[in-house]
Amino acid sequence: MKLLLSTALALSYWFASPSSTELSSPTATPPVYTECEGQSATVETANKCFFGQIMSHLQSELKWPEGLNQASDKVYVELTFDTEGAVSDIKVLRSGTESATEEAVRALKTLPNASHPAMEGGKPVKYTCVVPVLFKK
């Protein structure tokens, strides 16, 4: 059976914010992948491209988890990007089966570094987002 990552459903669950000891500012822009350069006129368009690149990567990288016998499973993973634009931390927030969790984390570990870090007030900042990974037959 073919693995389907439901992009439309997954994108509706996105949440992103810069990491900080203070309240997060909605004006921070996410890390920028090469494919998104020139598309950050607004925070909204920057987020859309950033998350689109993550989803595109997952769609090409994910494999159906060995041992997953149910028709679907969902894993919520928190990603933190450092001030250089690299994934510095991956934390599972909520998961279904162990095999789906392992595959989601494996695929996210292969994310390439962003070409530019998240920015706020003209300075690089850490950036945290929650990625829902949906496995569906």
Side-chain angles (χ1 to χ4, degrees), residues 67-137:
L68 182 60
N69 298 321
Q70 58 198 56
S72 66
D73 204 350
K74 193 182 300 184
V75 181
Y76 290 88
V77 182
E78 181 182 87
L79 294 178
T80 300
F81 289 80
D82 64 19
T83 57
E84 301 288 317
V87 175
S88 61
D89 191 35
I90 298 175
K91 183 189 321 180
V92 176
L93 299 178
R94 190 169 73 193
S95 64
T97 63
E98 184 176 338
S99 59
T101 301
E102 288 173 0
E103 178 57 15
V105 170
R106 183 204 64 79
L108 288 166
K109 283 183 177 180
T110 66
L111 272 171
N113 291 345
S115 55
H116 304 289
M119 301 293 282
E120 184 172 23
K123 296 179 182 178
V125 294
K126 285 186 177 181
Y127 193 83
T128 300
C129 60
V130 175
V131 178
V133 181
L134 175 65
F135 296 91
K136 188 172 182 175
K137 285 186 181 179

